[in-house]
Amino acid sequence: MHRNQHILVVDDDKETRDLLNEYLTQMGFLVSVAQEGISMQAHLNSQGYPDLILLDVMMPGEDGFSLCQNIRKHSNVPIIILTAVSDETDQIIGLEIGADDYIAKPFRPRQLMARIKALLRRAQPDELLKPTMITFGEWKLDTLSHTAFNLHTQQTIELSGSDFNLLMLFISHPNEILDRDTISCAIKGRETLPFERGIDVQLSRLRQRLGDTGKQHKYIKTMRGNGYIFTAPVQYGH
């Protein structure tokens, strides 16, 4: 199932790199490793972007946050941030700057594999079954380029992979209340964890991208105690 899918592991700890390389290779992935930002960039320049990047936060030179921001300027490749076990701040910052998910060290291999599978499934939707243009409110979404064009301001924005997947989830379920676990299962392949703020961060980021930040949200409304609902009219086209 995973044959030929390419994962880049970026971590300054040799033991972690070796363990991930061995485990992911056994699971059928093509694996590359880099020990810091310079070697990561050299790999991207020579080999192009992989199917997924595992990116450690604490590294010499540029840290994982800076590297994630730089990657997001050029690619929507799925990124999983590797954080310290108790550092919720790292997790929130990672999601705010465009990471798709995070996992705390030390982690169980099967737990990591579940996160990887979920992101890779969502990064490769069936384009034949998906309309190429979707209009909602004042926005026209291009599902092939992951860009949205504002019909009023003429502004075009690029959506990260996680922002696009979250938006498509809401568009696919208009006027339907989606609770936090439903959202997390759909975009991450798992239920939310106790006290996890990742969904809140991603929703806030998507609202900001869409200019939906007023007291009365135009697109994604909060249903207190229940979840969220997408209320904009949706039109499909090609």
Side-chain angles (χ1 to χ4, degrees), residues 91-217:
Q91 299 162 2
I92 294 173
I93 292 174
L95 293 172
E96 286 178 337
I97 63 176
D100 297 278
D101 204 352
Y102 62 83
I103 191 165
K105 296 181 178 180
F107 46 80
R108 297 187 301 274
R110 292 180 65 181
Q111 179 189 24
L112 175 62
M113 182 55 58
R115 305 286 184 89
I116 290 173
K117 287 180 179 179
L119 283 181
L120 289 177
R121 282 197 303 268
R122 285 150 185 79
Q124 297 178 339
D126 189 343
E127 302 293 352
L128 297 177
L129 301 178
K130 186 168 60 178
T132 57
M133 287 292 178
I134 302 174
T135 301
F136 62 94
E138 61 190 26
W139 291 95
K140 178 173 284 189
L141 175 67
D142 186 331
T143 62
L144 298 180
S145 66
H146 293 194
T147 59
F149 176 73
N150 190 296
L151 300 172
H152 290 171
T153 67
Q154 310 296 301
Q155 174 193 14
T156 298
I157 61 173
E158 295 184 3
L159 299 172
S160 69
S162 56
D163 288 343
F164 175 78
N165 290 333
L166 181 57
L167 177 58
M168 284 299 298
L169 174 65
F170 279 114
I171 287 175
S172 301
H173 298 82
N175 300 307
E176 179 180 337
I177 297 176
L178 303 178
D179 63 28
R180 293 163 58 84
D181 281 340
T182 298
I183 295 171
S184 185
C185 285
I187 64 176
K188 298 181 183 298
R190 60 177 175 81
E191 293 185 350
T192 54
L193 303 174
F195 309 109
E196 182 178 22
R197 295 181 57 193
I199 296 299
D200 302 307
V201 172
Q202 288 183 273
L203 279 166
S204 175
R205 186 176 66 201
L206 179 58
R207 281 169 166 164
Q208 289 179 353
R209 300 290 283 152
L210 298 176
D212 193 18
T213 56
K215 291 184 178 180
Q216 299 295 324
H217 295 296

Side-chain angles (χ1 to χ4, degrees), residues 177 180 207 215 217 221-229:
I177 297 176
R180 293 163 58 84
R207 281 169 166 164
K215 291 184 178 180
H217 295 296
K221 297 184 181 296
T222 301
M223 309 298 290
R224 295 199 179 279
N226 293 304
Y228 305 89
I229 185 170

